[in-house]
Amino acid sequence: RVVSHILVTHTHRDHAPLARPLAVAVGGAPILAAQPPERTEHASGALDEDDDADFHPDEILTESEWIEGDGWTLEAMPTPGHASNHMAFVLRQENALFSGDHIMGWSTTVVAPPDGDMTDYMNSLEAVLARGFSTIWPTHGPAITQVAPFLKAYRDHRLEREAQIMARLASGDQLIADMVPVLYAAVDQRLWPAASLSVLAHLIKLEKDGRARASPRPELAATWRLTDPAF
């Protein structure tokens, strides 16, 4: 079969870098993706969630654009959160979603500021749930066929983590460095830098929701407090 298009869900380094060599190898198929974000680096050090600064798609995709081929039709579905430019792809003929890293089959996805945004992620999760897909094909992990229960469990996990963070704030914890050893006590400490970014993403969402406040600004080293001490 001829490769007619190369679709990239987002510009993280474990996804985008091989798009151009693949395009060359298959004779010049165009690379399609959402507009790359401004390059960001995470305060915890290098992660796979850092962007590929050299990635430049041939065509910029926007919401609800359709890409068609012999017997297939794909819809571009923006799903920001894991990355600001994350784009999933709906296979119309099978009511299926190629979810990239927005939804993974073996674990929850990382939402790492500054480019990752928990508010956007939760809104995108609700948008995917509302579509009623029959199958989700993630980049990482097996196919998801029990879609609604899986997505609801994903959502419940995030809401539970949010409640745990609120509880840590209510107990007197003010620093992410104090919360992570408690919230992730059962997790390998080598993963705590990534966990810290996830907690930061939740706290930024809580600040947007008016339930927490950072001093002096929302960042890893900030001091955090509940806006309602009676929580």
Side-chain angles (χ1 to χ4, degrees):
R1 289 182 177 272
V2 174
V3 176
S4 60
H5 303 76
I6 297 171
L7 308 180
V8 178
T9 57
H10 59 302
T11 52
H12 287 169
R13 295 185 306 176
D14 60 334
H15 286 261
L18 284 179
R20 188 61 60 187
L22 176 60
V24 173
V26 300
I31 299 170
L32 286 67
Q35 178 68 46
E38 293 185 10
R39 180 166 171 75
T40 59
E41 293 185 359
H42 301 290
S44 66
L47 295 174
D48 286 340
E49 282 66 40
D50 285 339
D51 290 312
D52 174 14
D54 297 323
F55 177 77
H56 301 287
D58 299 313
E59 299 179 29
I60 300 296
L61 291 173
T62 57
E63 184 172 3
S64 299
E65 284 195 60
W66 294 92
I67 307 106
E68 296 182 296
D70 183 12
W72 56 268
T73 307
L74 290 170
E75 173 194 352
M77 181 179 182
T79 47
H82 173 69
S84 62
N85 69 327
H86 196 285
M87 185 78 75
F89 298 97
V90 181
L91 179 58
R92 182 177 183 180
Q93 285 77 7
E94 297 182 10
N95 189 35
L97 181 72
F98 293 99
S99 63
D101 278 4
H102 179 62
I103 299 158
M104 298 195 289
W106 60 273
S107 175
T108 55
T109 192
V110 172
V111 179
D115 190 55
D117 185 284
M118 190 62 72
T119 299
D120 287 346
Y121 183 81
M122 296 299 287
N123 290 338
S124 295
L125 199 59
E126 293 293 344
V128 171
L129 185 57
R131 291 287 295 262
F133 293 114
S134 300
T135 308
I136 292 179
W137 295 96
T139 302
H140 305 279
I144 300 161
T145 55
Q146 302 296 317
V147 174
F150 191 95
L151 294 182
K152 289 175 182 176
Y154 239 57
R155 179 182 61 194
D156 290 347
H157 169 78
R158 292 294 183 182
L159 293 175
E160 180 182 5
R161 182 68 75 199
E162 182 177 283
Q164 291 171 345
I165 292 169
M166 291 281 286
R168 294 315 308 164
L169 291 171
S171 75
D173 284 353
Q174 297 183 345
L175 301 175
I176 291 175
D178 295 330
M179 298 180 201
V180 168
V182 179
L183 297 174
Y184 294 87
V187 175
D188 189 325
Q189 292 187 24
R190 290 174 295 181
L191 300 178
W192 284 5
S196 297
L197 289 171
S198 181
V199 173
L200 175 61
H202 277 288
L203 285 166
I204 291 171
K205 177 182 181 296
L206 288 169
E207 185 174 61
K208 290 178 181 177
D209 294 343
R211 293 187 286 166
R213 182 171 59 251
S215 178
R217 63 186 64 85
E219 58 188 8
L220 277 174
T223 298
W224 294 87
R225 293 181 177 85
L226 291 173
T227 55
D228 181 4
F231 168 79

